[in-house]
Each structure stands twice: as structure tokens, then as C-alpha cells.
Amino acid sequence: MTIKHCDYSQHYRPRMAFTKKIEALVLEMQDPDTGIKTQTQRLVITTIPHAMTGHDILEWIINRLQILDEEAQNIGNLVVQYGYIYPLQEPKNLILRPDGSLYRFQTPYFWPTQQWPAEETDYAIYLAKKNIRKKGVLEDYEKENYNILNIRLNHKWDFVIMQAKEQYRAGKERKKADRVVFEFQERAYWLVHRPPPGAPNVIDYGLDRFSDPNENQVTQKKTFDVYRREIIFNQHSMMKSRVKSSVSLGGIVKYCEQYFNHDPIMTGCLPSNPWLTDDTQFWDLNAPLSEVPTKLRVERWTFSFRELLSDPRGRQDFQLFLRKEFSGENLAFWEACEDLKYGDQSKVKEKAEEVYKTFLAPGARRWINIDGKTMDITVKGLKHPHRYVLDAAQSHIYMLMKKDSYGRYMKSPIFKETLNKAILPEPTKISESKFPFNKRHRRSSPSPVILRQLEQEARAKAAATGPVDITQLCKFTSPIPHLTVYTGFCEPTSPTGTALCDFPPPSPGLMTLPNSTACPSPICVAIESTPASERKFEPSSISTRFLSIAESTEMSVSSDSSTAVVKETKQPSHKSLVALSFSRFLKRGCSNSPIFATLSPKCPAVNSGKVQPMNGEPQHQPQHNHHHHHQGQQKTKKTNNFFQIKVDIPSECRIYPIDSGDEEEEDCPNSVKNNTVKEVICPWETITEEGKAG
Amino acid sequence: MHIQNIKVANEGTVNSMKTREECKAYVDALIKVIACYRHLATSVGGSSDCSNLRDELKRTREKAQDFAVANRNKLTLCLRDKNLPKDDRVEMERLWVSFSSSLELFHADMCKVFEMGQSFSFSSQNNLFVQTGMSGATSDIAARALSVQNINYDETVASMDRLEQKDEEEQIDKVDKMIYDIEMKVNVLRWTVEAKAPMYTDPLSNDTSSVAMLSLEDDDNDQCCDRGQVIVSVILCVIAMVAVVLSVCVVYLA
């Protein structure tokens, strides 16, 4: 059955609220004294009264509403578009021309309303009538619609045709002028409500509601709990701090004033608006990590600490500064918290543990300085980690950075240098092209895959320059090859930089290979090897063992890289291949391999067996072909630290055979079995504590 | 209002033809009146609005309602007949669909007229009617509507209803309920109904009145001569020719 048009309580939330306003205006126009003067329209033989010129309408609107020309034009256009006034000479062009073209008012029956939208049946009848009148000459889109309607309304097609005939005949009873007017009216109505293709559909207001928004939807059974919740909710709302409107308005004004020059819409943007001039320099210059930021951008960093942190380039600069000040772990921690909050929640547990191990545990690699109470809360919360578990600590660190480091940063030479280097782009010259139909050279933006690769290379490069700095801080704040923005942590600082680590560096004796000789095979060779046997720590002859292990590892790595299968090949090979595979292996992010912890310039003081290598990414190893440049650095690091191997490995051989899947986040939960010493154990984890890392 | 007596009419196959014709006539009449009503409705609030128009509207409305009621009775009667032969049933269903669609159209028109009538009422002081360009009287249309023959139907229809209901709202409600009722009473599956009418039809099959003279192109407004004017001009030409001939004769004779 034809579903009767249901209101669905639309009148509670009228979509076409403009109808009342326009109707009032249109009715005022009718006034014989103050309304619009009408003239007659002369057709070939007939004359029809009540026509107006567009100019008159416009004048009237200006006078009545006391507005400017442009606005009046706009309003006039709206009135015509919605069908209250229709043009006589160009019916399809629904705008108000400010010249002498004629318009006429639409009869109220055909005014747009929300309650009675234009029905399909009516449209079918109209098209049938037109068909009859013009003997089959319809416009294309009308023909199409007609066919569609024929299919859709097939069951009532009899009625449609009959009604069309009857209406047509009844129309004949009128006098001719009226007939003409009626046809005008109908056509205007359907041009508004069924616009031809290409014309915008102004009547469309989106979906109808299905329920009354004011109605009480759910009648909850008023239990004790419901009331209790209500009470708590109301209490909380009372406790909410409120700001005086004067204060908040003042804040808004200040904000607007401050940012006025930085808003590309209010004040133009400097090279030029790319949408207007097709010159994308603006976007290039303001890329998230651009080499040389613009002056405006740098100026924005001085507004507030939040601005600095939210701009990736600013963060980079800040991080550089922090490195010099040896307080980079703050920023690293903050970023880790952000990652926890906004990152992949399936890994929340692992991430939380990482954070704990790296930043919060007493004696952690990059211990942050927060007060005891916050630490307590955080550690307690970490037992059941969720998104916001680190919020308290994060805000503490944030305030610390803001109050302390930010000020110094603003005065630091780093910032001053950045400020000096910042550029002020030239406005683009708009060449007056002689040919209006110049073929614009449109470049497609680079593929995101390529962009990401470039980004990672840039990061790696930046990370590579790191070794010069004593603190290899925040490897993930500086661009890291294949890490997502916030995952992973910094690799520990190199041993020489222990002073920089803000935790008491373990005694040399403690700085050892986190893992032992056992590692190599288990790590990469994994599967077949018998990890157990190799998990013995042999303090002696570590170096040599090490080398051999490394070599064998590398061999296996190389083979591993070629095939996903880990084979146990222990033939030493050429150094180059070793190096190559070694670096690749490193990139695999074998967190399990303590070797690499030492080999890479990480601080072997990692007491947690789980050292996240710099390029800590789970083993996606074979495909990192674009990190070749990285190998060189790795090599040097390797050689550097090769001789820094210390004894007494806290053999927390969290050496997971690679194939056993868990890449990154093999963390303390699983690990912690036979840890000898200096094992950072998450306090909520093990029951038997073998001792915490000192 | 419900059907007084439900006779499972066994009009029989003998009369099936006749009933079909009758029903068709009913429906046609209803459609005609509704078409006229719509024409009248479009004038409400416009420059040709006047109390006459309201009156005509009212009368047309009442007529339409009469027809609606008659239709309803007749069709429900036929359709509830279990012994109706298949062809008849198909035809009846088609008519039924036409009937219900026309009722819906009528209902919508009535509601619109009601609301517009309230905004553009004659009672208020400053009644501004929209200058729509319509100037003619609509009495012709009304006459057309009202001239539809009152088909003799079983007077169980209770004409007393009409006498009682003067209020528009009540009428609207009545039609509303009718629409609902008819759906409840007779179950016609819309998707099984196939229309017979052609897509492109010539309206003038029954109508011997004037050929469409008025053709409105999109942009240009020149119109063909009206038929009346054609006749007039022809007559004038004839007269002129006669005069010429006479003068020639006079010249010859003189």
C-alpha cells in the first residue's frame, strides 16, 4: 500500500524553517501600497497581469530589509530558488536578475512545504499531462523520469493517466490567460522540486527523523542504581568549574587577535593560496617535517607550549634542545603516553609495560622524574592498563617541560638559530596569462607509499646523525625508520653516555650483554635451534664468542632474509655480507637479541632483557630495502660498541625464537624466567621476583 | 461509517460485465471530480481567490466525498465477493488501486486547501492575496465538477452524513479514515496489479472539444492563434471576399 506520508515528528525539528520567513516576506510584497509594483506581461495575444521586473524586486528587498545590494541579491536568489517567485523568460535559470526580466509570484498551493513534499504520483501526473499537451515532446531527463515512474508506479498507472487526462480537460475550462499562467506555475514548481540534471536540488534537506527528539525515549525502571547514578552525575556537574563568560570571551578575543595573522583565510597566506593560484608552494613549505620552517610557523611556537608540541617540526627542534640538556626522556615519555592514548589499543598492555620498563621502573633506562604520589598512582594503574592510565604522569611531565624546559628553549641558541633560518616566502607572481584557456600544469601529489619511504629515510638520516650527540635520546621522537610515530622507545643510550641517562648507571659490571652467547642462534635461527641449550651465559670469551655468534647470526640472518624460514647456517662469510645481513637483522627489530643491544649503540645497561633496538620494529625484515644507508651507521655502531661488552649479563634471555611470532612486545610478562640479575620486572607481573635491576 | 449490509452479492457472471462498467464509471467520475478539485485548489490564496472559490471548493469536495463513498461501497462489495471470476477480480483490483490513489490525492489536496484557507482567510483584516496572475473565475471548473452525473447508487450510503458534516476538518478526517478502512477491509496487493493504460496517451479520444491550441515552449512564448480567433478571422475574410465580389459585380453592372 502506499505508505501515508508520516510526519515522524518533523514539526519538532523543522528542517525548512526558512519557509515561514520567506512567506512573510512574500506576503509583504503583495501589499498594494508598500509592495512591489506589477506590470502586465504581454504574450503574443494575451496579456497577463502581475509581472514584476527583477530590478523592482531587488529594490524592494533593499528598501524593506535595509541591506546592501549583495545581500539583497543573495536573498532574492534564494526566494527564486525555492520557488516563491519564478522567472518568466528563462524558467530554468533560477536566479534573480537585477534587470528588466520578468518574474511572477507562485501560487500558495505550489509553495514548498515540509509537510507535503512533492509526490511521485503528482510528478507522474504532471509529466503525463505535459506529454499529452506537447504530444510526446518531453525533455530528456523528463523522459527518463517518466519511464522510471512508469515502472515504479505501474500499479497505479491507470490512475495516473486518467487523472492526467481529466486535469488536462478541466484546465481547458479556464480562460486562456489562466491556462497559460497555470502552466507556468506548474512548470516552475516542478523545476524546483525535480530539478533538471545539473541544477542543484535546493529542496533536499537530508534525511527525515524517525523519532521525536523531544520525546522521552527510554523509560528506565527507576531502580536504586539509577538514582544513585543520577545523584553522582548531578553532584559532579555541580562541582564542575565554571568560567565567567567575560573571562571566556576575553580569552576568545585574545586568541583571535593572536592568531589573526596566522590564519590563511583572514590574512592571506604567503606564497599564495594554492586553491587560487595552483601554486602548491604553501603546502610544501608548511609540510609537517620541513627542513626550514616559515617565520610564521616559528612564531607560533612562541605562543604556547602546546603549539610547540603539536607541530612536528617544533617538536623536533625541541627534542634537539632537550638532547643537549639531557632531559630528552621527558619528551620521550610524553610521546609514549600519547602513543598509548591514541595508538593501537590491542597492544595496550605491552605498551604499558614498555613504558614502565623504560621510564618508570626504578633504575630504568630513561627514568623520568615524577613525584612519589604520581608514581604510585601510575604504577598501580598499570596493573590494569588502559588508554589513560599514564595520564597523571603525563600531565606532570608536561607541566615540567612547560615550566622548565620550554622557557629555556625559547632562549636557547637552537631556537634562535631556527628563528633566523626561518624563511619568509615570497608572494607568487600571478602571471597574466594571455590565453584564458591555458592548460594548467597539474602535478599529482606523490604516492603515499613513496612519501612514507622518504619520511622514513629522513628519519633514519636524522637518527644517524644522532651518534654525534652523546645521548641517543628519543629515537622515536626523531624520525625513526619504520616505527610509527610513537611506538617503541628509544634505544638505550650508549654506554659512554650513561651519564646522560637519568638513572644511576649501573656499574660496569652490570653493563653487559643483556643476553649471552645464547642469543644468536635462538634469535634468528630460532626455530630449529635449541634455545634452551644456548641460553647459558658464558661470561668468558664473550667477545670472541660474540663475534662468532654474530657471524653465525648474520649468516642465518642473511638466509633468513632471503627466505622467511630460518635456517641454521653457521658459516662465517664475508664481512660485507655479514654487515649487510647484520644491519638487516638489526632492522628486523629483534628485540630479543641482546647482542644487538650491545652492538648497537644502545646502552647495555639495559637490564631488561628486552632491548628494543633502535629500529624496533617487528620482524618485517626482508623488505627494508630502503634502509641501506642505515647499514653504514649500524656498522660503525657495531664496531664502536663491540668493545664495550660488559660481563655479567643479566641473562634475561628473553630470546624468543623469531618464529614464535611475538615480535615487539615480548615483554616482561613472558620473559622473566631465569633472570639472574638486573632484571626490570614489572611489579605486577611476576610473583617470584628475582630482584630488581639496580 | 461502515457498510451497512454486506451482501456477498452474487451478482453472478451474468451481471459481471455490468458491474464492471458501473465500477469503472464510478471511478472515472471520482477521478474527474478530483481533477477539478485540484484545479480549484491551485487558485486558493491567489489573485483569483474569492469567497466563490471557497464555496465551489466546498461543493466539489462534498461531491467528491459522495463519490468516494459510493465507490467504496461498490468496490468493496465486489471485491469481497469470493466467487468473483478471475478476470473480474483483476479488473476490480485495478479499479481499486485507482480508487485508493485518487483518495490519497484528494486527501492531500484537502489538507493543503484547509491550511491555505486558514492563512488566506477572508475574515482577517489585512488579507493579502498573492498576485499570481490568475484573473479568471473558476466557476467553469466547478461547473464541470458538479456536472458529473450522480450515478444512482444504492442509497444505503446515507446521505444524511453529508447533511451533518459541514466542517472541513471532519471531512478530511472522514476521508482519512476511509483510506485506512479500505485498506483494512480489502487486501489488494499492489504488486500484482498491472495497469492497462499506455504510457503515452492521447487524451482526446473521448473529448471532442478543442484541440490543444496553446503550446508553451520553454523560452518562447508565442502562441498559436486561438481557435476562436481563427474562426473570427476566417469569417472576416469571407465577408471581405464577399464584399469584394459584390463590388466587382456592381462595377460590372454599373
Side-chain angles (χ1 to χ4, degrees):
Chain A
M1 84 169 77
T2 313
I3 296 175
K4 210 162 69 142
H5 173 66
C6 244
D7 196 8
Y8 290 134
S9 314
Q10 283 306 305
H11 53 276
Y12 288 124
R13 174 101 177 271
R15 303 303 183 86
M16 301 175 83
F18 60 85
T19 50
K20 289 242 174 332
K21 305 180 189 178
I22 300 188
E23 278 166 21
L25 199 64
V26 166
L27 284 178
E28 278 192 32
M29 289 185 194
Q30 311 303 325
D31 195 311
D33 308 319
T34 62
I36 304 183
K37 299 290 170 257
T38 60
Q39 40 189 260
T40 55
Q41 174 197 18
R42 282 177 203 293
L43 301 176
V44 174
I45 305 170
T46 48
T47 63
I48 308 177
H50 303 152
M52 314 159 284
T53 58
H55 177 77
D56 284 343
I57 300 177
L58 213 52
E59 287 294 318
W60 187 89
I61 293 178
I62 292 176
N63 284 335
R64 168 68 183 79
L65 297 176
Q66 296 294 309
I67 50 180
L68 296 175
D69 208 8
E70 219 177 315
E71 202 179 339
Q73 175 73 50
N74 202 15
I75 291 186
N77 283 344
L78 282 177
V79 173
V80 175
Q81 268 169 17
Y82 285 117
Y84 289 91
I85 292 180
Y86 59 92
L88 297 174
Q89 284 144 346
E90 283 181 349
K92 286 209 181 149
N93 193 8
L94 294 176
I95 59 171
L96 185 66
R97 285 183 181 281
D99 50 19
S101 36
L102 296 176
Y103 294 84
R104 190 175 285 131
F105 292 109
Q106 177 70 280
T107 179
Y109 183 82
F110 285 138
W111 281 354
T113 69
Q114 192 175 338
Q115 280 171 295
W116 298 291
E119 300 266 348
E120 293 208 327
T121 320
D122 290 337
Y123 190 43
I125 295 174
Y126 165 68
L127 286 178
K129 255 198 299 187
K130 194 166 178 188
N131 204 20
I132 291 170
R133 200 180 71 231
K134 292 209 180 171
K135 303 192 185 32
V137 177
L138 291 177
E139 305 227 6
D140 284 338
Y141 75 95
E142 284 177 346
K143 276 208 187 102
E144 243 182 79
N145 288 341
Y146 195 53
N147 295 336
I148 293 173
L149 283 171
N150 184 22
I151 297 172
R152 232 187 258 167
L153 297 178
N154 197 277
H155 53 281
K156 48 164 97 165
W157 199 251
D158 281 337
F159 165 70
V160 166
I161 294 294
M162 288 221 48
Q163 178 73 213
K165 281 195 211 172
E166 288 300 330
Q167 284 190 9
Y168 179 72
R169 289 178 207 153
K172 296 268 194 50
E173 303 291 334
R174 294 194 194 236
K175 65 178 229 231
K176 192 169 84 170
D178 284 355
R179 245 181 295 166
V180 173
V181 172
F182 182 67
E183 277 165 18
F184 276 136
Q185 287 173 348
E186 255 200 323
R187 179 179 63 185
Y189 178 73
W190 288 111
L191 276 175
V192 169
H193 289 263
R194 293 285 189 270
N201 185 3
V202 289
I203 300 295
D204 185 26
Y205 55 74
L207 300 174
D208 272 334
R209 286 181 165 272
F210 222 77
S211 57
D212 178 5
N214 292 342
E215 185 192 313
N216 286 334
Q217 287 297 349
V218 175
T219 46
Q220 258 180 334
K221 184 151 168 259
K222 294 287 190 181
T223 63
F224 171 78
D225 194 48
V226 167
Y227 283 121
R228 187 177 64 93
R229 287 210 204 169
E230 243 178 85
I231 290 174
I232 293 177
F233 176 76
N234 290 328
Q235 281 175 342
H236 279 274
S237 353
M238 281 199 300
M239 289 196 306
K240 262 198 261 189
S241 65
R242 285 163 177 73
V243 181
K244 279 211 262 190
S245 56
S246 59
V247 172
S248 63
L249 289 173
I252 291 181
V253 169
K254 228 170 50 164
Y255 177 89
C256 291
E257 282 171 4
Q258 198 178 37
Y259 282 85
F260 185 77
N261 290 332
H262 297 261
D263 191 318
I265 293 180
M266 304 299 288
T267 26
C269 51
L270 219 358
S272 58
N273 186 342
W275 297 113
L276 296 179
T277 59
D278 268 351
D279 175 23
T280 55
Q281 215 189 353
F282 177 68
W283 290 329
D284 296 332
L285 288 177
N286 284 315
L289 286 174
S290 63
E291 286 297 318
V292 186
T294 57
K295 268 211 172 7
L296 276 182
R297 197 170 172 186
V298 178
E299 199 185 316
R300 232 179 300 147
W301 300 346
T302 63
F303 287 168
S304 76
F305 185 53
R306 187 171 41 87
E307 275 287 343
L308 178 66
L309 276 193
S310 56
D311 188 355
R313 182 71 181 76
R315 217 184 304 137
Q316 202 179 39
D317 226 35
F318 189 54
Q319 169 223 313
L320 228 68
F321 168 74
L322 284 182
R323 262 199 222 169
K324 297 242 161 64
E325 291 221 332
F326 309 127
S327 46
E329 71 279 358
N330 290 336
L331 189 57
F333 177 70
W334 185 84
E335 291 200 353
C337 294
E338 290 284 294
D339 176 40
L340 185 65
K341 272 202 289 195
Y342 301 120
D344 192 358
Q345 286 301 297
S346 64
K347 300 200 173 78
V348 106
K349 212 159 158 35
E350 293 99 356
K351 285 189 191 164
E353 283 158 8
E354 293 271 354
V355 165
Y356 178 78
K357 293 193 127 177
T358 318
F359 296 102
L360 298 172
R365 239 170 33 206
R366 318 187 69 188
W367 187 74
I368 54 167
N369 194 1
I370 51 181
D371 61 309
K373 187 155 151 274
T374 321
M375 180 68 92
D376 277 342
I377 299 173
T378 312
V379 168
K380 253 198 284 188
L382 279 172
K383 289 203 182 76
H384 305 281
H386 57 91
R387 232 186 253 276
Y388 300 110
V389 69
L390 296 170
D391 244 10
Q394 186 185 10
S395 14
H396 184 101
I397 290 292
Y398 181 86
M399 293 317 273
L400 189 67
M401 284 198 288
K402 176 169 161 181
K403 296 211 158 63
D404 194 20
S405 318
Y406 181 57
R408 288 204 298 267
Y409 169 70
M410 285 290 131
K411 304 192 184 85
S412 72
I414 293 185
F415 177 67
K416 292 206 165 52
E417 196 193 328
T418 315
L419 192 54
N420 286 338
K421 281 209 292 194
I423 56 176
L424 195 63
E426 296 277 329
T428 11
K429 278 196 292 286
I430 306 174
S431 60
E432 299 294 325
S433 59
K434 313 269 186 324
F435 306 100
F437 303 106
N438 241 357
K439 180 164 187 287
R440 290 206 187 130
H441 173 55
R442 299 188 195 280
R443 303 160 294 267
S444 71
S445 43
S447 128
V449 174
I450 299 178
L451 273 181
R452 193 172 163 80
Q453 282 180 2
L454 290 175
E455 209 177 291
Q456 289 168 354
E457 281 176 23
R459 279 190 191 157
K461 228 181 279 181
T465 60
V468 177
D469 267 313
I470 3 182
T471 45
Q472 295 274 349
L473 288 175
C474 305
K475 273 312 194 268
F476 59 84
T477 55
S478 72
I480 302 187
H482 24 273
L483 274 185
T484 56
V485 180
Y486 295 113
T487 53
F489 323 118
C490 320
E491 69 290 8
T493 58
S494 61
T496 53
T498 46
L500 313 170
C501 306
D502 290 1
F503 60 91
S507 59
L510 300 176
M511 314 233 311
T512 58
L513 280 183
N515 74 341
S516 62
T517 55
C519 323
S521 35
I523 303 173
C524 42
V525 180
I527 327 174
E528 295 82 37
S529 62
T530 59
S533 58
E534 278 147 335
R535 286 193 193 193
K536 306 290 194 294
F537 168 60
E538 295 169 34
S540 58
S541 68
I542 292 177
S543 39
T544 47
R545 224 9 241 276
F546 209 52
L547 183 53
S548 62
I549 288 168
E551 280 183 346
S552 60
T553 320
E554 278 136 21
M555 279 330 298
S556 44
V557 171
S558 53
S559 62
D560 204 44
S561 39
S562 49
T563 68
V565 182
V566 174
K567 300 220 186 331
E568 196 165 12
T569 62
K570 299 215 179 205
Q571 296 150 19
S573 71
H574 311 288
K575 278 289 165 81
S576 58
L577 189 52
V578 165
L580 177 63
S581 50
F582 180 61
S583 54
R584 274 220 219 106
F585 182 63
L586 268 184
K587 289 178 205 115
R588 290 184 61 202
C590 251
S591 50
N592 311 331
S593 83
I595 297 187
F596 305 110
T598 52
L599 293 179
S600 68
K602 295 185 206 127
C603 181
V606 152
N607 297 322
S608 66
K610 146 188 181 254
V611 171
Q612 189 98 16
M614 176 172 11
N615 336 338
E617 193 185 39
Q619 293 74 325
H620 292 311
Q621 70 119 348
Q623 274 69 27
H624 294 178
N625 301 326
H626 49 273
H627 294 303
H628 291 314
H629 61 273
H630 204 64
Q631 303 153 12
Q633 308 142 16
Q634 291 299 338
K635 239 197 297 192
T636 52
K637 287 175 196 160
K638 159 181 155 230
T639 47
N640 281 346
N641 293 337
F642 186 76
F643 302 101
Q644 289 165 7
I645 301 162
K646 313 286 201 300
V647 198
D648 284 359
I649 304 168
S651 73
E652 198 299 292
C653 295
R654 284 180 46 262
I655 300 156
Y656 301 100
I658 295 171
D659 70 318
S660 71
D662 333 319
E663 327 288 4
E664 228 167 8
E665 321 296 323
E666 290 335 296
D667 232 331
C668 35
N670 322 335
S671 60
V672 195
K673 286 311 167 213
N674 44 356
N675 36 5
T676 57
V677 53
K678 284 78 149 185
E679 178 65 22
V680 174
I681 304 168
C682 307
W684 57 89
E685 286 300 340
T686 52
I687 303 149
T688 71
E689 287 218 317
E690 319 250 356
K692 304 198 130 197
Chain B
M1 195 174 133
H2 56 95
I3 301 179
Q4 258 77 345
N5 40 0
I6 305 169
K7 320 183 279 214
V8 179
N10 196 359
E11 317 232 357
T13 50
V14 183
N15 287 347
S16 69
M17 201 55 192
K18 181 162 166 294
T19 36
R20 274 213 282 195
E21 298 287 332
E22 271 183 26
C23 293
K24 185 124 179 37
Y26 278 51
V27 173
D28 286 350
L30 181 64
I31 290 180
K32 191 165 176 183
V33 175
I34 287 176
C36 297
Y37 188 75
R38 169 163 277 210
H39 268 278
L40 293 174
T42 54
S43 314
V44 172
S47 49
S48 59
D49 202 357
C50 55
S51 47
N52 272 349
L53 178 67
R54 304 296 165 101
D55 194 41
E56 286 156 9
L57 276 170
K58 186 155 83 75
R59 285 192 286 159
T60 319
R61 192 168 42 237
E62 282 163 8
K63 187 129 187 152
Q65 289 204 314
D66 289 341
F67 277 126
V69 166
N71 261 307
R72 186 195 68 190
N73 294 344
K74 192 88 184 145
L75 284 173
T76 28
L77 215 61
C78 295
L79 279 171
R80 290 176 94 139
D81 178 13
K82 303 243 188 296
N83 300 333
L84 202 59
K86 192 157 180 327
D87 292 347
D88 279 0
R89 180 152 283 268
V90 164
E91 181 68 29
M92 283 301 153
E93 287 189 350
R94 208 176 285 133
L95 288 175
W96 180 265
V97 171
S98 297
F99 168 56
S100 74
S101 330
S102 49
L103 267 195
E104 280 160 12
L105 203 77
F106 182 49
H107 178 68
D109 274 348
M110 274 205 293
C111 292
K112 284 195 199 174
V113 164
F114 178 60
E115 232 188 74
M116 286 195 300
Q118 292 199 317
S119 341
F120 296 96
S121 70
F122 291 101
S123 52
S124 58
Q125 286 298 73
N126 50 346
N127 44 353
L128 294 170
F129 287 87
V130 183
Q131 295 162 344
T132 50
M134 299 279 218
S135 43
T138 45
S139 44
D140 292 331
I141 302 185
R144 183 185 168 90
L146 299 170
S147 69
V148 178
Q149 274 184 349
N150 270 345
I151 308 179
N152 283 336
Y153 48 82
D154 299 342
E155 24 44 61
T156 49
V157 163
S159 47
M160 63 266 294
D161 281 346
R162 183 188 358 149
L163 294 174
E164 283 159 9
Q165 293 165 16
K166 296 294 176 193
D167 211 4
E168 255 181 79
E169 282 181 353
E170 283 179 31
Q171 291 179 341
I172 293 177
D173 276 342
K174 188 160 155 254
V175 170
D176 201 8
K177 263 199 302 228
M178 199 189 307
I179 296 177
Y180 179 75
D181 279 345
I182 64 180
E183 287 303 327
M184 292 298 118
K185 291 216 168 71
V186 177
N187 184 20
V188 170
L189 306 172
R190 293 298 194 279
W191 53 89
T192 56
V193 173
E194 277 182 32
K196 266 191 333 193
M199 257 188 75
Y200 297 97
T201 172
D202 184 22
L204 311 168
S205 45
N206 307 342
D207 200 3
T208 56
S209 63
S210 59
V211 180
M213 291 283 185
L214 206 64
S215 69
L216 261 180
E217 297 311 321
D218 272 2
D219 309 65
D220 90 79
N221 286 325
D222 55 64
Q223 295 151 358
C224 306
C225 304
D226 196 7
R227 185 160 157 269
Q229 296 196 322
V230 166
I231 292 178
V232 164
S233 53
V234 161
I235 291 175
L236 282 176
C237 288
V238 164
I239 291 176
M241 275 187 22
V242 164
V244 164
V245 163
L246 280 177
S247 60
V248 165
C249 291
V250 162
V251 165
Y252 268 133
L253 291 178

